Amino acid sequence: MRGALSGLTTRGRCLLAAGIAAALCALVLNERDLLRVAIFAVALPVLSAVLAAGARVGLVALRHVLPERVHVGNAAEVRVELRSTGRVPSGGLLLEDGVPYALGSRPRFVVERMSRKSSVGLRYPLQPVLRGVHQLGPMRARITDPFGLAEFERELGGTSRLIVAPKIVGLSGLPVGAGLGTGDDGAIRLRTGQGEDDAIVRQYRHGDDMRKVHWRSTARRDELMVRVEERPWRGGIAVLLDARESAHRGSGPSSSLEWAVSLTASICLHLHRHGQHVRLSTEDGHALAGGQSDGGHSDTEVLDALAALRPSHRRDLACSNDPGSGRELIAVLGATTPSAVHELIKYRQRSVRSLAVLLDVKSWAGSSEEGAADPQEVARLLTSAGWGVMIADARTPMTTVWTRLCHSTADRMAVGKGGAAW
């Protein structure tokens, strides 16, 4: 009884107090009619509280999320089945489901009356704007009686999980050279005669092995040319995502980190669909997907890993070994300093293909920042180390970034400022 009376509203408490006061006056004045009114005034809120408490006990909510995994910008639907299992019919119900702000506003429903042993189906849409592993619920029900004298709040059912994967952009083509594609990586293919293997040559770069100088093409072009050994790559491709919080700008769905995560997910799925084995890792070497010995992964593994990814609190890049683990490497980097670039490249061999997307994070911050590293300077350092580089800002389409990265070479730096020519 005490638990039931605790649910009385202000109106119910006032009516109960008035009934008690009227009963005392009726006893003092010996007024039987007033006593009858007092008994009614006391019994009505008490009975309403008991009935509302009984209805609260007999409610169950079952939630279904369709689908359980969705991409940013796509819609999902939640279906809730509300059942009344008690012996007492439920009066007015105000229902509210717990929905994170990244999935939309919290839905509210009003159910006028539920008879005993009945059920009601409810549904509402979700429009995710931010990736993550989101929890829905619990659903809260506010139960009142028809007179508004008693009110109870109860949690119905548990929570449900919705995985919101990054937005995927359709890409086309593969990077040239070195087993990623069919191009020649800026080199020249010479057919010297029948029965002799083709030779792929390029201009000599500082640090190249002199034993690889192709003297016939050197004499023909009057400049040093070296032979490029084109071998099919069976070790897979490594994709590195710079998830440092300090390396990105902006907040929410429009931040540079979310842009980088979306590009990384698009690259991994695109390469995997072309039969490539991809290993996805963060700047600290932690493998998010494809950590098996064969370097393979599934699309679901990549999407789930990136959906749950949280920014790292590392201040700078610090590699203790080759970030690509001997594989060809595609790195998506935020704000990077020249010293961090040296950490990134010092373990990389020039003979292994390395590509990088540099984010000009100032365009996501909305204003210039003092002391921020110039991406052009970082790009020159990577290019001199034999990397193919593409600089992207907030206005550069991801398809443009990928297309230009695919055709970049160690001797050419692609600069994508708002889709400008490179």
Side-chain angles (χ1 to χ4, degrees):
M1 177 64 70
R2 181 178 300 179
L5 294 179
S6 64
L8 288 175
T9 62
T10 302
R11 180 187 301 178
R13 294 177 185 274
C14 290
L15 184 60
L16 180 62
I20 294 175
L24 293 176
C25 293
L27 293 176
V28 172
L29 300 176
N30 195 23
E31 289 285 343
R32 292 188 176 182
D33 293 337
L34 181 60
L35 182 60
R36 294 189 184 96
V37 173
I39 294 175
F40 176 79
V42 171
L44 183 60
V46 172
L47 182 61
S48 297
V50 171
L51 292 176
R56 178 187 62 168
V57 175
L59 288 176
V60 176
L62 301 177
R63 184 190 301 103
H64 304 279
V65 183
L66 302 173
E68 296 182 351
R69 181 181 293 100
V70 68
H71 292 278
V72 171
N74 294 344
E77 185 180 65
V78 178
R79 298 178 182 178
V80 180
E81 182 182 2
L82 185 64
R83 295 179 181 176
S84 175
T85 60
R87 298 180 179 179
V88 180
S90 302
L93 299 177
L94 177 62
L95 304 174
E96 181 181 82
D97 206 1
V99 175
Y101 76 94
L103 302 180
S105 59
R106 291 191 172 186
R108 292 180 173 88
F109 304 93
V110 176
V111 179
E112 295 295 339
R113 179 180 175 82
M114 285 189 64
S115 59
R116 57 183 183 177
K117 306 296 183 180
S118 64
S119 63
V120 174
L122 308 172
R123 63 176 61 188
Y124 60 89
L126 296 176
Q127 193 72 33
V129 296
L130 188 64
R131 65 175 178 86
V133 180
H134 302 286
Q135 298 293 333
L136 300 174
M139 174 169 280
R140 297 181 181 275
R142 186 174 297 175
I143 305 168
T144 61
D145 68 291
F147 303 103
L149 301 178
E151 181 180 271
F152 293 92
E153 187 172 291
R154 183 191 173 192
E155 292 185 0
L156 305 180
T159 59
S160 302
R161 187 178 72 165
L162 175 65
I163 299 176
V164 181
K167 182 179 180 180
I168 301 299
V169 176
L171 305 177
S172 61
L174 292 174
V176 296
L180 279 175
T182 58
D184 55 61
D185 191 17
I188 301 172
R189 182 182 294 271
L190 301 177
R191 185 175 296 276
T192 57
Q194 186 175 5
E196 185 174 340
D197 293 337
D198 291 348
I200 302 177
V201 296
R202 59 167 171 78
Q203 293 178 344
Y204 173 83
R205 303 177 191 136
H206 178 70
D208 284 339
D209 190 351
M210 292 299 296
R211 292 175 297 181
K212 295 184 179 180
V213 173
H214 193 268
W215 296 109
R216 183 174 298 179
S217 57
T218 297
R220 181 178 298 144
R221 297 176 59 87
D222 197 23
E223 60 178 329
L224 277 178
M225 305 292 290
V226 295
R227 182 187 298 271
V228 179
E229 296 179 356
E230 187 178 35
R231 300 183 302 269
W233 189 261
R234 296 184 176 87
I237 304 169
V239 178
L240 184 146
L241 172 62
D242 184 2
R244 293 173 297 140
E245 187 174 15
S246 60
H248 294 277
R249 301 295 183 271
S251 60
S254 59
S255 67
S256 61
L257 175 60
E258 296 305 318
W259 193 95
V261 170
S262 180
L263 176 63
T264 301
S266 302
I267 290 175
C268 289
L269 268 61
H270 176 68
L271 293 176
H272 186 247
R273 288 166 186 169
H274 280 77
Q276 302 292 336
H277 295 289
V278 181
R279 179 184 186 271
L280 173 62
S281 64
T282 55
E283 79 291 338
D284 58 359
H286 174 66
L288 297 178
Q292 302 92 336
S293 58
D294 62 353
H297 71 85
S298 65
D299 291 351
T300 301
E301 182 184 0
V302 169
L303 294 176
D304 288 355
L306 290 176
L309 178 68
R310 291 292 176 262
S312 167
H313 297 293
R314 294 171 62 94
R315 297 297 304 174
D316 218 335
L317 294 173
C319 302
S320 58
N321 50 29
D322 181 5
S325 301
R327 300 174 174 88
E328 297 179 347
L329 176 66
I330 301 175
V332 181
L333 305 175
T336 309
T337 61
S339 60
V341 170
H342 290 297
E343 288 289 327
L344 186 65
I345 66 179
K346 68 181 181 180
Y347 295 105
R348 292 290 294 172
Q349 299 179 11
R350 293 180 67 96
S351 59
V352 182
R353 179 74 162 176
S354 300
L355 301 174
V357 177
L358 289 179
L359 272 60
D360 186 2
V361 296
K362 294 179 182 178
S363 62
W364 277 274
S367 61
S368 60
E369 295 184 350
E370 297 294 334
D374 183 6
Q376 299 283 352
E377 179 183 359
V378 174
R380 283 191 291 269
L381 291 174
L382 289 172
T383 302
S384 64
W387 288 52
V389 181
M390 171 68 186
I391 299 178
D393 62 17
R395 300 182 301 275
T396 310
M398 293 184 190
T399 53
T400 302
V401 172
W402 177 250
T403 300
R404 294 177 177 175
L405 188 68
C406 287
H407 294 87
S408 66
T409 68
D411 296 324
R412 174 179 292 178
M413 179 179 65
V415 181
K417 287 292 186 178
W422 59 291

